[in-house]
Amino acid sequence: LLLLGMFQGLGWLVCGWLTRQLMMRRVPSFLAFGVAAWASTFVPGVFPWTVGGGLSPLRSFVQIAEVVGERGVSALVAIVCALFACAARAFLARERRKSLYYALVGAGVALVMTAGGALRVRAIEDARQRAPHVRVALAQPSTEAVMRWDPSAAEAILRKLTMLTVAAEQRGTDLVVWPEAAYPYTMSSTQKNDFFGPMAVLQPGVRGPVLTGVIMRARDGEYNAATIVEGDRVEPTYFKMHLLAFGESVPLSTTFPALRRAFVRGTGLVPGEHQVALVAKTREHTIRAAVLNCFEDTLPEAGLEAMTVSPNLLVNVTNDAWFAGTQESELHLRIATMRAIETRRDLVRAVNEGATSWVDATGLVRARYAGPVPGTLPTTPALLEGKTVYVRLGDFAGLLLLG
């Protein structure tokens, strides 16, 4: 926990140091703090929480993320806070005119962000109403963390997923999504067809398609993957690109073997190399889903990578069973919301023992299921097209703003 706390604090260490360096070069303190806060969001962390992501429930305030991204929102928040700090300092120094100036500028920036965001929310809501919609059911199987990796429990896990899927399909759905690594058996990375018999993804009574998280085996190791199974076909598979530090990979473990021995549980997965669109066809529409696996929906760069395959829907599959009973899943949802705003795509999230949810392209959590018992969440996300400024320019847009 001490190491985790130190690692998570590196970003603020960089922020403080860089603020000081910029102020020494006569950069105004409020701008120095904003630039430093933006730069600090690039410092790696196990859990990449940011100020901008934490404020995602203030929906109108964070809509500018479609231009400057979550990192740019964090920088603007830092600038507003620094302006009010400058106002307070000037007030205490009896410089009333300067204090008023800083306060008005800070309030003005916040007001423009909020008013402009409210207008954008209305525009995106209108676009969503005109767009086609599909029915997606999100499974929350409530599989305990240790149970998932017990081979003797595989049959019971698959039976529970099958019951949830059959029930969802009877209510009417175009696609059912299972969480990260929900399928309890290992597949081959070259597999093109579903298993037969008791190991099949589509058990008797299941129509499909089903998008599921799965562990896939290859010559070079195992991958945390996601794929769509429809009929007897296993569609092209997305291999998770950003592995969770100390959970799925150990940073610097090849250089320092002692780290590998200390965190041996996190050394068994291989990262993927590119995004893949997972396609499911309905009677009227075609779903082109880009998967953000586990904590990938907390990473702006992963959202940008997802948009390289021109999806009309973002899908997150997550297993939060390891964090059951904590606030991790709620924090995860807050950060994930920013991917929907940055890309202007609806985001559906199948989360085992966590906040299974549907976030629309404005960042509104339209539906959620976080019950302690297995269940499914029916959603009707919009299928949107087009590219935002942030998708086109990436974090360069935020750099232009601060420049």
Side-chain angles (χ1 to χ4, degrees):
L1 288 176
L2 177 62
L3 290 173
L4 175 62
M6 293 172 63
F7 191 46
Q8 289 294 111
L10 283 178
W12 290 111
L13 177 65
V14 170
C15 181
W17 175 84
L18 185 55
T19 300
R20 182 74 173 177
Q21 295 301 311
L22 292 173
M23 289 176 62
M24 290 173 60
R25 289 162 175 76
R26 299 184 182 278
V27 176
S29 58
F30 63 88
L31 181 58
F33 186 52
V35 171
W38 178 81
S40 70
T41 62
F42 290 90
V43 177
V46 178
F47 304 105
W49 314 128
T50 69
V51 173
L55 292 176
S56 62
L58 303 178
R59 191 166 49 132
S60 295
F61 188 70
V62 298
Q63 292 300 307
I64 198 171
E66 69 173 345
V67 178
V68 297
E70 179 183 343
R71 293 185 170 110
V73 173
S74 296
L76 287 169
V77 172
I79 288 173
V80 169
C81 291
L83 284 166
F84 284 123
C86 289
R89 183 170 58 188
F91 182 83
L92 294 175
R94 299 182 183 278
E95 298 175 323
R96 302 300 170 83
R97 182 172 296 180
K98 183 181 290 187
S99 174
L100 181 61
Y101 169 77
Y102 283 129
L104 288 176
V105 173
V109 173
L111 181 61
V112 168
M113 290 175 63
T114 304
L119 292 175
R120 287 301 293 155
V121 165
R122 292 183 61 180
I124 300 302
E125 286 178 340
D126 289 342
R128 289 190 69 261
Q129 289 181 358
R130 296 191 300 269
H133 290 70
V134 290
R135 299 167 299 174
V136 179
L138 310 173
Q140 200 288 86
S142 289
T143 303
E144 295 180 3
V146 177
M147 179 184 180
R148 165 60 187 84
W149 305 106
D150 181 359
S152 65
E155 183 178 348
I157 292 173
L158 185 55
R159 188 185 308 117
K160 180 165 52 175
L161 288 165
T162 298
M163 292 174 61
L164 293 173
T165 303
V166 169
E169 290 183 340
Q170 288 176 346
R171 293 191 296 267
T173 187
D174 298 309
L175 175 68
V176 178
V177 182
W178 296 356
E180 174 191 14
Y183 177 69
Y185 300 102
T186 301
M187 284 186 179
S188 168
S189 62
T190 59
Q191 188 162 332
K192 300 298 182 182
N193 298 96
D194 193 8
F195 289 112
F196 294 99
M199 293 178 61
V201 175
L202 304 187
Q203 290 288 306
V206 176
R207 180 183 72 250
V210 169
L211 190 159
T212 181
V214 58
I215 299 298
M216 286 200 165
R217 181 180 60 255
R219 289 184 177 181
D220 55 348
E222 292 185 333
Y223 291 85
N224 189 345
T227 191
I228 285 184
V229 182
E230 185 172 10
D232 66 342
R233 294 176 291 111
V234 175
E235 296 295 322
T237 300
Y238 168 63
F239 300 119
K240 185 179 181 183
M241 299 168 64
H242 303 272
L243 300 181
L244 181 63
F246 303 107
E248 296 170 325
S249 67
V250 178
L252 303 177
S253 61
T254 55
T255 305
F256 303 103
L259 290 176
R260 181 181 294 273
R261 292 191 295 270
F263 299 96
V264 65
R265 188 170 58 84
T267 61
L269 296 180
V270 179
E273 297 180 351
H274 56 82
Q275 259 289 348
V276 176
L278 303 186
V279 178
K281 294 184 178 181
T282 71
R283 290 183 178 180
E284 299 178 351
H285 310 293
T286 297
I287 301 172
R288 299 191 312 277
V291 172
L292 299 170
N293 196 326
C294 189
F295 273 84
E296 286 186 324
D297 65 350
T298 68
L299 304 174
E301 54 268 33
L304 293 174
E305 290 162 355
M307 293 302 294
T308 61
V309 296
S310 300
N312 52 21
L313 181 67
L314 295 181
V315 176
N316 171 245
V317 293
T318 293
N319 179 14
D320 272 350
W322 298 105
F323 304 99
T326 74
Q327 290 299 308
E328 178 277 334
S329 195
E330 294 298 323
L331 295 171
H332 189 167
L333 174 58
R334 284 199 176 196
I335 303 296
T337 296
M338 300 301 287
R339 305 292 82 74
I341 299 173
E342 288 172 344
T343 63
R344 293 306 185 192
R345 293 293 187 273
D346 278 23
L347 167 67
V348 291
R349 308 179 66 246
V351 184
N352 180 48
E353 292 206 347
T356 292
S357 46
W358 165 29
V359 183
D360 74 16
T362 71
L364 176 66
V365 180
R366 286 186 168 264
R368 58 177 294 153
Y369 179 87
V373 297
T376 56
L377 177 69
T379 69
T380 54
L383 302 181
L384 296 172
E385 306 287 349
K387 293 183 178 181
T388 64
V389 173
Y390 182 69
V391 168
R392 295 179 183 276
L393 299 181
D395 290 305
F396 183 66
L399 186 60
L400 288 176
L401 171 70
L402 295 172

